Amino acid sequence: GGGGGNQGTGAPSISPGGAGGSGIVVVKELSKASGVWNLKSQLRALQQGTWPRVLVTPFNANMLVIAGGGGGGVRRGAGGGAGGYRFNTSYPLTVNTTFPITIGAGGNGAPSACAGGGAQGSDGAVSTFNPGSALTSTGGGGGGGQVIPAPSDPGSGGVGAGRPGGSGGGGKPVGSGNTPSTSPSQGNSGGLSTPDTQDRLGGGGGGAGGAGGAADGPGTPGRHAGNGGAGSSAWPGDCTLRAGGGGGGDFEPAGATFGAGGPGGGGQGGNYTTATDPGSPGTVNTGGGGGGGGGACGGTAGGNGGSGTIIVKIPADGAPAVSVTPGTNTYVISGGVGTATFTVSGTLVVAD
């Protein structure tokens, strides 16, 4: 309240009383129903300029899932296939839900210290969004090694064969792509390696956007190992090319050249001429296939496949609070769209 007035004892004098203090209103949030914004969320949205906002659940996300690429083979090794490439432009998400994320590792390239017919590269690992209601891409197939004539290896299997996968590895026979089958296709087959009796050049690994290139046969000027298949930018979330196949390695004849990596993260094949350039690895977080190793056993190793990735685009007005774990993954809001980018396995948390 205000202070009282004062009248002096001498001549008449009256001083005024003090003014009263302003009031205050205290609001305490006791509880709220599920799906109703709390005050903290409202304040945050107001500060971000996204208030008012109508919470709609479920709402649709636009996501891309790429698996790990296959590793390159050894002994004029073939290139590894790219990791499977799949997307869904209307995947339903609900608030107050945690979605597990698995990012597939790239397959190991075959080591240079091989024996006999060389060695296949290892397959890449699957990437999965939300197991149980999953969108899953299959790892790329490993590239094959040298094709040796019967009886040790008739060229219809064994280490000379490319392995199947999201995209298949190069070899003889080639590794099949889109395995297991999805619609639309998650990848393509690898390219054909030359048989042992026709010099030794590795085929390219398949890519999300095209099959791996076949190695040049006898009589072709400037003999060339197979190039990796091109990657894809079909996902409408961005225009980035990803999931290219690995290039084949060279061995014989003299003057032959290694295969180029497929555009979109595929590694180039190893170079036997220098005996120091192994198959290049696929680019990290593109699902690119590894390049095949050049030369014989003891030559150059196959390249490792590139790891996969998952990218989720969410309408910023769809969910008040989105977070990702661990901290190496990111969530950024721009132009009214939130983008969660996963480079390692973790979780996507959609809260209210």
Side-chain angles (χ1 to χ4, degrees), residues 62-65 85-89 135 137 184 232 234-236:
N62 179 11
M63 72 177 62
L64 172 69
V65 178
Y85 180 104
R86 300 186 67 195
F87 59 87
N88 187 333
T89 59
L135 181 61
S137 293
S232 176
W235 180 52

Side-chain angles (χ1 to χ4, degrees), residues 120-345:
Q120 294 171 317
S122 299
D123 299 340
V126 301
S127 290
T128 301
F129 180 87
N130 192 28
S133 182
L135 181 61
T136 297
S137 293
T138 305
Q146 176 169 304
V147 180
I148 299 178
S152 59
D153 185 346
S156 59
V159 296
R163 296 182 58 83
S167 282
K172 189 176 187 302
V174 302
S176 298
N178 195 32
T179 304
S181 178
T182 64
S183 181
S185 173
Q186 61 178 315
N188 294 278
S189 297
L192 194 65
S193 298
T194 57
D196 179 70
T197 55
Q198 298 178 8
D199 301 319
R200 300 167 184 146
L201 297 170
D216 291 336
T220 305
R223 298 284 300 284
H224 197 283
N227 294 331
S232 176
S233 58
W235 180 52
D238 62 22
C239 298
T240 302
L241 198 63
R242 300 180 177 92
D250 65 11
F251 187 177
E252 294 178 346
T257 55
F258 54 85
Q268 74 177 23
N271 187 354
Y272 175 62
T273 302
T274 63
T276 58
D277 296 331
S280 299
T283 304
V284 173
N285 296 131
T286 68
C297 290
T300 67
N304 295 337
S307 55
T309 189
I310 292 179
I311 304 175
V312 185
K313 289 189 174 288
I314 300 171
D317 60 355
V322 174
S323 60
V324 296
T325 65
T328 49
N329 299 318
T330 60
Y331 181 70
V332 177
I333 297 177
S334 177
V337 177
T339 301
T341 302
F342 291 87
T343 56
V344 298
S345 298

